[in-house]
Amino acid sequence: MVGATTRPEKADALRALGVDHVIVSSREDVAHAARRLGGVDVVFEMVGGTEAYKRGLACLRPFGRMVVFGAASGELRGALEPVGLMAKNLTVSGYSLTGVVADRARCAPPLAGLVEDVLASARASSQGSRPRHGDDVQAGAIT
């Protein structure tokens, strides 16, 4: 598992959470470091905006997924290049916590499924295998 932080003093906290490779973005380019490690299967993107999306997508392996769930930068708009997604068979999905967090019964099952997917992908990657496209479990949709 690869984790990124802006501050070196957070590296130990990430390792305590099970992160194998910590990238400190103030010291090195996250996308370059992730690619040097072979790329990642899933990016959780909470910064928002076109540049953050580009950085996240650049970290992904073919058939990777980026989950957009925030806009900490305050940039509420961003653009993606569809042809770039197609070239590496990438998937981008969005998840808004604002409307569903108050209703725990409604959001818990999809979140549990998403966490299960991510952990299964991380386990498969750490064992040198990758789930085949289409074999991964789909998290339930929130309507």
Side-chain angles (χ1 to χ4, degrees):
M1 187 176 306
V2 179
T5 180
T6 56
R7 301 192 328 229
E9 59 269 18
K10 291 184 177 181
D12 288 337
L14 287 173
R15 287 186 190 93
L17 292 170
V19 172
D20 301 307
H21 303 282
V22 176
I23 302 168
V24 180
S25 63
S26 59
R27 294 184 176 166
E28 64 182 321
D29 178 79
V30 174
H32 178 73
R35 285 192 305 268
R36 190 176 58 244
L37 293 167
V40 299
D41 295 310
V42 179
V43 168
F44 292 99
E45 206 301 297
M46 59 178 271
V47 175
T50 300
E51 292 307 311
Y53 300 155
K54 285 181 181 179
R55 283 191 302 269
L57 292 170
C59 294
L60 291 171
R61 293 177 178 152
F63 295 100
R65 293 174 284 174
M66 183 168 73
V67 179
V68 178
F69 69 98
S73 67
E75 190 174 337
L76 301 178
R77 300 192 185 277
L80 298 171
E81 297 175 13
V83 173
L85 298 175
M86 295 182 318
K88 287 176 61 179
N89 295 294
L90 301 178
T91 302
V92 177
S93 61
Y95 191 83
S96 174
L97 296 174
T98 305
V100 295
V101 170
D103 187 353
R104 187 176 184 91
R106 186 175 183 203
C107 68
L111 285 175
L114 179 61
V115 168
E116 190 173 312
D117 280 355
V118 170
L119 292 175
S121 183
R123 279 188 228 106
S125 292
S126 69
Q127 295 171 0
S129 64
R130 293 186 27 95
R132 294 180 315 216
H133 182 63
D135 285 353
D136 51 330
V137 178
Q138 296 290 321
I142 296 178
T143 57

